């Protein structure tokens, strides 16, 4: 496929990284647009380096382009230097592969990974030359759709999106495209197509649902306004992950991205049941990929990319039943003459994991990361973390004995029921780990240990046991952060902390309803884009947006909900029942630990999908 670059040389030479916009990577797909029926612009609403590091984007790109009738092309949020030039010179947003205007595509699809990217979604639609509100868009404009973890509460951006896909795209997205292909051939309208989508599982079309509110601001009623609209939207997931589509020739960027590596997906879902973790609930049940398939995929991916690192990803890599066999194979196959490194994020603090890490980092001991999440055992029981202080200290000791000297520890401030003793326990735990190092014989201690404690702020998320709880206010967050900072021994521990203002906004968006769309729109009009980036984030853009729309952010972030309240996402069925989540919330408040799915079924409801760990003896 021949293409003419959308940007002239003078523009490319005046932006920071021209390669972000050229679309000439290794393994890029090209098609003759005269031979296809569907043009799909797949957008990751962030900068190129972030989007190209996301495995979900890679899977979708490959999966859609395997269809002969479909050409999937990529779109990313242009960095501010290019956006300024595009607006000055009236250049519409374009795809990387063909450099054609997005406005000429059939679909503009967003993968939404983070609430703070919502203003980027509006900016992308606007840069494409379309109205940001779906009700104002024209018949010939692309159909705007969205999927990803944030769309499990789609309401804050419902007014901007034509339809949402709830779940994993490999399941019924092909049915949607088949339907569209026929519909387009028959000359059907956009409205007629959206109505037809109501018959497909996992699809939510906001315009066919009405929301009314009580005087106190809570939702009074959420109901369909079309006879074909389903009362419940059931998430779609792939049960046979072994045979699911997976790219054998992923794109290889020509500039450095956040993660330049081969990615192997071990499984989807999680068995652990951490009460703060949305991914662990919405991706249930846990479904593994066969170890022999992973071995084959690793070989293909290394041969087709030339990367020098393989990363094994999942929510809790240690739980993969074939982990030891797989890591031994990868080390033997790639770790010697081929000099391919192996990384294993999401490992637990146990001997098995450390033994594997020791093999992986036999020559060069880099940092090792633990995520206790809470400093005290009481609070770890509240969040159902499933690790003890003894686990953490003995794990750290074994890591030091194994040659690691840099340990990173991740915690959250503001967890439900947290008190100042729990916060002080973070500082104490960090110091106890330092002291574990100095218990080693002097001849073993070749250098000073580097202990890094990092804290983020707790954000209650939809479809977790903490979806009803109040989030701390900004002032409370800052008081807790200051308290911890004063208690940490700076001589032996480095302390990193997250921004409380973005966490507060994330909390508003994570549990917001349709009224929040007005705030997002106003914030964008005020200049908010790239809110996940500290150099661009301006809190006053949001403060003014809340004020302009007479909306109190604390109503959404710092308010305890009752079980009986209609939550904005209640119409979505993830398989995990509301009753189970509330039962877990009640157990959390009592500090009662629940067993994980590996040890015992807690009857969360995910068994209704008919497979995965729920049916493993």
């Amino acid at each position: 496929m021949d293409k003419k670059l959308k940007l002239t040389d003078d523009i490319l030479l005046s932006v920071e990284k021209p390669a972000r916009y050229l679309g000439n990577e290794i393994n890029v797909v090209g098609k003759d647009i005269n031979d296809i029926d569907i043009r799909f612009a797949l957008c990751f609403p962030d900068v190129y380096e972030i989007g190209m590091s996301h495995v979900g984007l890679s899977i979708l790109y490959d999966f859609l382009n395997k269809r002969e009738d479909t050409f999937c092309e990529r779109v990313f949020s242009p960095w501010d230097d290019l956006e300024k030039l595009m607006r000055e010179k009236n250049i519409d947003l374009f795809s990387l592969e063909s450099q054609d205007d997005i406005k000429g595509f059939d679909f503009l699809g967003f993968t939404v990974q983070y609430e703070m990217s919502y203003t980027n979604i509006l900016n992308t639609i606007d840069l494409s030359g379309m109205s940001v509100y779906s009700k104002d868009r024209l018949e010939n404009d692309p159909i705007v759709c969205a999927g990803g973890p944030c769309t499990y509460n789609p309401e804050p951006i419902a007014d901007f999106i034509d339809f949402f896909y709830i779940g994993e795209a490999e399941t019924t997205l092909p049915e949607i495209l088949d339907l569209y292909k026929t519909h387009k051939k028959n000359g059907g309208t956009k409205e007629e197509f959206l109505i037809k989508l109501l018959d497909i599982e996992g699809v939510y079309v906001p315009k066919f649902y009405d929301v009314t509110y009580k005087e106190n601001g809570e939702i009074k009623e959420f109901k369909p306004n079309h006879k074909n609209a389903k009362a419940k939207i059931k998430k779609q997931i792939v049960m046979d992950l072994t045979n699911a589509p997976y790219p054998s020739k992923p794109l290889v960027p020509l500039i450095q991205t956040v993660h330049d590596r081969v990615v192997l997906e071990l499984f989807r879902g999680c068995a652990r049941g951490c009460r703060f973790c949305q991914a662990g609930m919405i991706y249930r049940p846990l479904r593994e990929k066969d170890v022999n398939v992973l071995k084959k995929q690793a070989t293909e991916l290394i041969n087709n990319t030339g990367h020098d690192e393989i990363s094994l990803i999942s929510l809790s890599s240690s739980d993969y039943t074939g982990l030891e066999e797989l890591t031994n194979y990868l080390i033997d196959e790639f770790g010697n003459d081929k000099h391919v490194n192996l990384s294993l994020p999401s490992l637990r603090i146990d001997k098995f994991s450390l033994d594997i890490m020791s093999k992986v980092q036999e020559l060069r001991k880099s940092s090792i990361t633990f995520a206790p999440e809470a400093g005290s055992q009481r609070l770890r029981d509240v969040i159902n973390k499933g690790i003890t202080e003894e686990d953490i200290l003995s794990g750290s000791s074994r890591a030091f004995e194994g040659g690691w000297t840099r340990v990173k520890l991740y915690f959250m401030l503001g967890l439900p029921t947290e008190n100042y003793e729990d916060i002080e326990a973070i500082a104490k735990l960090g110091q106890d780990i330092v002291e574990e190092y100095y218990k080693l014989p002097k001849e073993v201690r070749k250098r000073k240990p580097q202990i890094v404690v990092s804290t983020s702020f707790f954000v209650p998320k939809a479809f977790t046991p903490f979806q009803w709880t109040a989030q701390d206010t900004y002032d409370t967050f800052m008081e807790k952060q200051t308290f911890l900072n004063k208690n940490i021994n700076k001589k032996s521990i480095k302390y990193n902390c997250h921004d409380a203002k973005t966490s507060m906004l994330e909390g508003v968006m994570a549990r917001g309803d349709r009224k929040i769309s007005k705030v997002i729109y106003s914030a964008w009009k005020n200049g908010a884009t790239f809110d996940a980036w500290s150099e661009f984030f301006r809190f006053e853009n949001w403060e003014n947006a809340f004020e302009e729309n007479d909306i109190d952010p604390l109503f959404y972030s710092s308010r305890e909900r009752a079980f009986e309240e209609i939550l904005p996402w209640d119409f979505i069925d993830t398989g995990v029942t509301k009753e189970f989540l509330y039962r877990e919330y009640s157990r959390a408040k009592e500090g009662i630990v629940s067993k994980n799915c590996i040890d015992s079924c807690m009857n969360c409801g995910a068994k209704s999908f008919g497979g995965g760990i729920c049916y493993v003896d």
Side-chain angles (χ1 to χ4, degrees):
M1 179 194 70
D2 294 327
K3 71 178 180 182
K4 184 178 180 180
L5 286 178
K6 181 80 171 179
L7 306 180
T8 57
D9 288 346
D10 63 315
I11 293 177
L12 288 171
L13 290 171
S14 62
V15 299
E16 182 182 349
K17 295 181 180 179
R20 288 169 169 162
Y21 314 108
L22 299 179
N24 58 354
E25 303 94 335
I26 297 168
N27 295 330
V28 72
V29 174
K31 294 187 179 183
D32 187 337
I33 60 172
N34 296 312
D35 295 335
I36 57 151
D37 299 295
I38 303 169
R39 302 195 70 182
F40 198 108
L42 178 60
C43 180
F44 194 101
D46 208 319
V47 73
Y48 176 92
E49 292 91 321
I50 302 291
M52 284 300 294
S53 301
H54 187 251
V55 66
L57 184 90
S58 179
I59 292 172
L60 277 170
Y61 181 79
D62 179 77
F63 165 65
L64 290 173
N65 276 319
K66 279 190 167 70
R67 290 179 61 111
E68 292 184 0
D69 62 357
T70 302
F71 189 14
C72 175
E73 305 180 49
R74 291 161 299 141
V75 188
F76 300 100
S77 295
W79 201 239
D80 70 319
D81 53 2
L82 179 59
E83 180 186 339
K84 182 180 179 181
L85 289 168
M86 290 174 67
R87 293 195 182 278
E88 285 177 359
K89 298 177 181 295
N90 294 316
I91 300 171
D92 283 344
L93 190 61
F94 53 91
S95 71
L96 268 60
E97 278 71 10
S98 68
Q99 302 278 305
D100 287 343
D101 290 348
I102 300 304
K103 198 171 181 181
F105 281 63
D106 297 290
F107 292 93
L108 172 57
F110 291 95
T111 175
V112 193
Q113 302 295 317
Y114 183 39
E115 290 86 355
M116 297 309 292
S117 70
Y118 287 168
T119 53
N120 274 25
I121 291 175
L122 272 60
N123 208 44
T124 298
I125 298 172
D126 181 64
L127 283 170
S128 300
M130 297 185 285
S131 297
V132 296
Y133 280 100
S134 57
K135 64 181 177 59
D136 297 328
R137 287 198 283 271
L138 305 177
E139 179 64 29
N140 291 329
D141 287 340
I143 295 166
V144 179
C145 53
C150 287
T151 63
Y152 280 81
N153 177 22
E155 290 303 276
I157 54 172
D159 286 341
F160 314 117
I161 305 296
D162 294 320
F163 78 87
F164 291 88
Y165 184 95
I166 310 299
E168 296 166 359
E170 302 97 320
T171 312
T172 55
L173 185 54
E175 185 180 348
I176 293 172
L177 297 181
D178 289 342
L179 177 67
Y180 178 79
K181 180 179 175 180
T182 302
H183 182 78
K184 180 181 177 181
K185 191 175 293 184
N186 294 334
T189 65
K190 184 186 293 186
E191 176 84 1
E192 290 167 342
F193 175 68
L194 293 176
I195 291 172
K196 288 179 179 179
L197 285 181
L198 297 176
D199 294 327
I200 297 180
E201 291 290 349
V203 175
Y204 167 52
V205 185
K207 70 179 297 180
F208 296 129
Y209 295 80
D210 292 327
V211 190
T212 55
Y213 298 90
K214 301 177 182 177
E215 287 186 8
N216 66 0
E218 296 175 10
I219 293 175
K220 179 180 180 181
E221 193 174 32
F222 182 96
K223 65 177 183 179
N225 61 32
H226 191 283
K227 60 184 177 62
N228 294 343
K230 298 178 178 65
K232 284 278 186 179
I233 308 296
K234 188 174 181 64
K235 80 170 182 186
Q236 300 299 293
I237 59 171
V238 177
M239 295 310 301
D240 181 8
L241 201 60
T242 294
N243 295 306
Y246 201 77
S248 60
K249 291 185 176 182
L251 292 162
V252 182
L254 301 180
I255 60 172
Q256 186 174 6
T257 59
V258 175
H259 299 304
D260 286 320
R261 63 194 186 187
V262 159
V263 175
L264 286 180
E265 185 182 28
L266 304 181
F267 56 80
R268 293 181 189 173
C270 186
R272 290 292 158 182
C274 297
R275 291 170 178 142
F276 59 85
C277 181
Q278 185 185 50
M281 295 295 169
I282 63 176
Y283 295 141
R284 288 189 175 199
L286 186 148
R287 297 145 283 146
E288 286 194 348
K289 188 179 289 188
D290 182 78
V291 67
N292 292 314
V293 169
L294 288 168
K295 292 176 184 178
K296 178 184 175 185
Q297 287 178 348
T299 301
E300 289 177 338
L301 289 164
I302 289 296
N303 291 340
N304 291 331
T305 64
H307 282 308
D308 60 1
E309 181 177 344
I310 300 174
S311 179
L312 308 183
I313 65 161
S314 64
L315 292 175
S316 180
S317 302
S318 302
D319 290 333
Y320 181 59
T321 55
L323 185 61
E324 186 171 17
E325 179 183 349
L326 179 62
T327 52
N328 286 335
Y329 170 83
L330 294 176
I331 291 168
D332 292 341
E333 186 72 14
F334 301 108
N336 299 318
D337 297 337
K338 296 181 182 178
H339 305 291
V340 175
N341 295 320
L342 183 62
S343 66
L344 296 93
S346 305
L347 287 178
R348 293 180 64 78
I349 310 172
D350 54 30
K351 185 177 184 301
F352 170 67
S353 298
L354 287 167
D355 286 345
I356 289 177
M357 284 296 292
S358 187
K359 291 178 185 177
V360 170
Q361 299 186 11
E362 189 171 350
L363 297 177
R364 182 178 61 87
K365 302 289 187 182
S366 62
S367 63
I368 193 162
T369 302
F370 299 151
E373 310 294 0
S376 69
Q377 191 57 48
R378 183 199 74 81
L379 197 51
R380 284 193 293 274
D381 290 345
V382 167
I383 64 177
N384 208 48
K385 183 61 184 177
I387 57 171
T388 65
E389 186 161 325
E390 182 182 351
D391 294 330
I392 298 167
L393 294 178
S394 62
S396 300
S397 179
R398 281 194 291 265
F400 292 140
E401 290 170 0
W404 283 278
T405 57
R406 181 175 171 84
V407 176
K408 298 179 182 178
L409 300 160
Y410 287 96
F411 298 90
M412 278 187 282
L413 290 174
L415 287 163
T417 79
E418 180 184 69
N419 57 48
Y420 280 85
E421 290 180 358
D422 299 315
I423 300 170
E424 192 173 11
I426 295 175
K428 182 179 182 301
L429 183 58
Q431 189 60 36
D432 288 345
I433 290 173
V434 172
E435 291 172 9
E436 285 295 318
Y437 180 78
Y438 285 106
K439 289 179 182 178
L440 297 176
K442 282 187 176 181
E443 60 270 18
V444 178
R445 293 184 265 124
K446 297 179 180 180
R447 60 177 63 89
K448 186 179 179 181
Q450 294 177 289
I451 310 300
V452 181
V453 169
S454 297
T455 59
S456 60
F457 294 106
F458 167 67
V459 178
K461 298 277 186 171
F463 294 109
T464 68
F466 292 148
Q467 65 181 357
W468 291 278
T469 196
Q471 183 187 30
D472 280 348
T473 63
Y474 170 76
D475 289 341
T476 302
F477 275 151
M478 294 311 298
E479 288 170 8
K480 291 181 174 181
Q481 188 180 86
T482 301
F483 176 81
L484 177 59
N485 191 41
K486 288 179 179 178
N487 278 273
I488 282 183
N489 182 358
K490 306 295 195 317
K491 293 181 181 179
S492 53
I493 299 171
K494 180 182 178 182
Y495 177 46
N496 297 326
C497 50
H498 190 66
D499 178 55
K501 290 180 179 177
T502 55
S503 296
M504 188 273 282
L505 286 174
E506 188 182 341
V508 173
M509 245 87 70
R511 292 188 294 174
D513 52 33
R514 281 197 199 182
K515 288 186 284 188
I516 292 300
S517 66
K518 296 183 292 184
V519 176
I520 297 169
Y521 180 81
S522 293
W524 170 68
K525 293 294 284 185
N526 292 340
T529 55
F530 284 107
D531 289 303
W533 295 75
S534 58
E535 60 262 49
F536 292 107
F537 178 68
R538 300 289 180 271
F539 189 59
E540 58 267 24
N541 290 334
W542 290 92
E543 284 184 306
N544 293 335
F546 284 113
E547 188 175 335
E548 290 162 16
N549 292 283
D550 194 26
I551 287 178
D552 179 8
L554 298 183
F555 175 81
Y556 294 97
S557 61
S558 301
R559 178 176 64 87
E560 181 85 10
R561 277 78 164 162
F563 176 74
E564 296 77 19
E565 181 176 340
I566 298 174
L567 304 176
W569 52 89
D570 273 349
F571 67 97
I572 294 175
D573 177 11
T574 66
V576 177
T577 66
K578 192 173 182 179
E579 289 72 23
F580 165 78
L581 294 174
Y582 198 76
R583 190 164 69 244
E584 282 295 291
Y585 185 34
S586 300
R587 291 170 69 89
K589 287 188 283 189
E590 296 176 25
I592 301 174
V593 174
S594 295
K595 291 184 177 180
N596 66 62
C597 304
I598 297 170
D599 296 332
S600 178
C601 179
M602 295 296 292
N603 296 310
C604 72
K607 201 169 186 177
S608 62
F609 288 102
I613 196 172
C614 306
Y615 290 85
V616 175
D617 293 331

